[in-house]
Amino acid sequence: MTVRQQPAKEHRRTRQRAAVDEVLDETEDFISAQELHSLLRARGAGVGLATVYRTLQTLADDGRVDVLRSDAGEAVYRRCVREEHHHHLVCRSCGATVEIAGPTVERWAKSVADQHGYADVSHTLEIFGTCPRCRA
Amino acid sequence: MTVRQQPAKEHRRTRQRAAVDEVLDETEDFISAQELHSLLRARGAGVGLATVYRTLQTLADDGRVDVLRSDAGEAVYRRCVREEHHHHLVCRSCGATVEIAGPTVERWAKSVADQHGYADVSHTLEIFGTCPRCRA
DNA sequence: TCAAGACTGACAACCATTGTCAAAACGTCT
DNA sequence: AGACGTTTTGACAATGGTTGTCAGTCTTGA
Ligand SMILES: [Zn+2]
Ligand SMILES: [Zn+2]
Ligand SMILES: [Zn+2]
Ligand SMILES: [Zn+2]
């Protein structure tokens, strides 16, 4: 049988999605749906809030953007350079993000889960700190 | 799990706090404030929802319970056996939790942060999967 | 061009969490 | 025990992020 990594669903190209895409491409830091919505409105290319949420949701599902939760529990999104699985080193005060790959950690997580009989394993790993620039 | 060390403040002993404490002691899995509230109500020892939230918040601040966010973004709490810093292997469907220590990961996180000049480092790391019992 | 159906957006609905504040409970001192 | 200053409680309102609704609009492939 043919195995396909991503069922690559067809999505229609619309002005709204292009607009969201553009903002994501220009934004280095993690951004919330609400912030993205405001940016779009300010920029003239208005897009409905629900649409922003749906678009980000879809992008996340397709693995085209990374999602994590801010301290406030709000979902924040970011278009990363790496396509493959990775993690982040995020500045607590300015949001500056460094993409991190940790093969060792990946193996460790998998092995720990296996040891306890847990299947369908996933994990979250983020590192927070204060970046050089934010330290005067 | 983010590490936190705060000077333990004095708190009055009340029936409500004792009830919450009791449930936490009897519960192995991560539990949400809402679930805890329902449990208390079902058990007869009713406690106001706001009080449950406040109590859990306080316990978390004092480092007496661990907090993390479920897939739905809901905060879930657990009284862990280990006092020291650790992580969790959590069942996505029933919440069954295994406490994990990963010295290697800790060092790795620190070194990665150092390499990029990030100071005051902390990290979050949780592993999710489906436990043996939930796979029938 | 045309129809099928995917997409959009204004708005309502949801729901976890927090704010409010008067009444009740605590701990302490007499 | 009784009084008293402080903390805690809880019913309810309010907040705020996120999702649901659904009629109208836009894409796409034929
Ligand atoms: Zn990323
Ligand atoms: Zn910074
Ligand atoms: Zn724990
Ligand atoms: Zn399970």
Side-chain angles (χ1 to χ4, degrees), chain B residues 1 30 65-67 78-82 84 86-88 97 99:
Chain B
M1 223 66 276
F30 274 93
V65 295
D66 281 0
V67 192
R78 179 177 195 265
R79 163 145 310 142
C80 287
V81 177
R82 290 174 194 265
E84 335 82 62
H86 62 271
H87 299 284
H88 310 96
T97 300
E99 296 175 31

Side-chain angles (χ1 to χ4, degrees), chain B residues 11-97:
Chain B
H11 292 135
R12 290 185 176 174
R13 273 72 57 152
T14 67
R15 171 183 69 77
Q16 293 83 348
R17 283 173 186 169
V20 169
D21 247 51
E22 198 179 312
V23 172
L24 286 173
D25 280 336
E26 299 169 1
T27 307
E28 281 284 305
D29 309 336
F30 274 93
I31 186 177
S32 72
Q34 305 270 355
E35 289 171 333
L36 182 23
H37 178 246
S38 298
L39 277 182
L40 286 172
R41 171 169 297 181
R43 151 181 321 206
V47 175
L49 181 56
T51 299
V52 172
Y53 272 103
R54 277 184 304 236
T55 301
L56 289 173
Q57 185 63 59
T58 300
L59 288 173
D61 288 346
D62 291 356
R64 306 253 279 279
V65 295
D66 281 0
V67 192
L68 57 83
R69 289 189 177 275
S70 69
D71 282 346
E74 188 178 18
V76 287
Y77 307 80
R78 179 177 195 265
R79 163 145 310 142
C80 287
V81 177
R82 290 174 194 265
E83 267 296 316
E84 335 82 62
H85 176 75
H86 62 271
H87 299 284
H88 310 96
L89 169 56
V90 187
C91 173
R92 250 190 301 270
S93 75
C94 76
T97 300

Side-chain angles (χ1 to χ4, degrees), chain A residues 90-96 129-135, chain B residues 118:
Chain A
V90 186
C91 173
R92 230 180 256 108
S93 74
C94 76
T130 309
C131 78
R133 211 173 33 183
C134 280
R135 263 186 300 138
Chain B
Y118 280 58

